[in-house]
Amino acid sequence: MKIGLNIDGKDANSVKAAETRALERIILDAKKGDWEAKEVLFQKFRPLVMSLVDKRTKDTAMVNKYMDAAKAGLIAAAGKYTTSVGAEHFRIFALDYIEKNMDHVESGGGFFSRLFRLGGK
């Protein structure tokens, strides 16, 4: 087993590059519909999602709704992802999709309200 010496910080850069490539592979697999990749992607972004949920509510029932909405937003972002965005910028790219889905929870927008355009939005 080869262990880097981290001379001049080069090992840190290679680790970061490897993490970025791994994240890109996960995003692309999730985009193709791989359920396991979708779950791994959500687990990687769980700290971000939890911080967004904590800012919105402490109610357990609402936390679950926000988590579901955030997961759907994250999957939508993966679906729209292109390699030109870059995996290192995916967090910022996905944030918009996550926030928009969480906003639908606040407006009470469920499936039937969106289907029949109820609720004003």
Side-chain angles (χ1 to χ4, degrees):
M1 177 173 172
K2 186 176 179 182
I3 299 174
L5 298 175
N6 199 14
I7 298 172
D8 297 328
K10 292 180 183 175
D11 280 349
N13 291 337
S14 64
V15 168
K16 181 72 172 167
E19 288 175 356
T20 302
R21 284 191 305 272
L23 178 60
E24 186 166 33
R25 174 56 39 214
I26 292 166
I27 295 166
L28 292 174
D29 287 348
K31 183 176 183 173
K32 292 176 186 173
D34 182 355
W35 286 100
E36 187 175 326
K38 289 178 182 181
E39 189 59 35
V40 170
L41 184 64
F42 184 68
Q43 292 304 320
K44 283 194 169 293
F45 284 83
R46 191 176 183 87
L48 171 66
V49 169
M50 288 306 298
S51 70
L52 294 171
V53 170
D54 286 343
K55 290 177 184 176
R56 293 175 184 253
T57 189
K58 299 292 182 196
D59 180 32
T60 306
M62 289 304 293
V63 166
N64 291 334
K65 288 181 181 180
Y66 281 123
M67 293 286 286
D68 289 342
K71 192 171 190 176
L74 188 60
I75 300 308
K80 298 287 185 177
Y81 174 79
T82 61
T83 54
S84 64
V85 171
E88 64 274 4
H89 301 295
F90 182 75
R91 181 182 176 108
I92 295 166
F93 177 75
L95 187 60
D96 186 46
Y97 289 91
I98 294 168
E99 287 280 354
K100 282 181 183 176
N101 274 23
M102 291 175 110
D103 289 343
H104 286 294
V105 171
E106 290 174 353
S107 66
F111 172 74
F112 289 110
S113 65
R114 287 193 308 270
L115 180 65
F116 297 110
R117 305 246 184 245
L118 301 175
K121 286 195 176 185

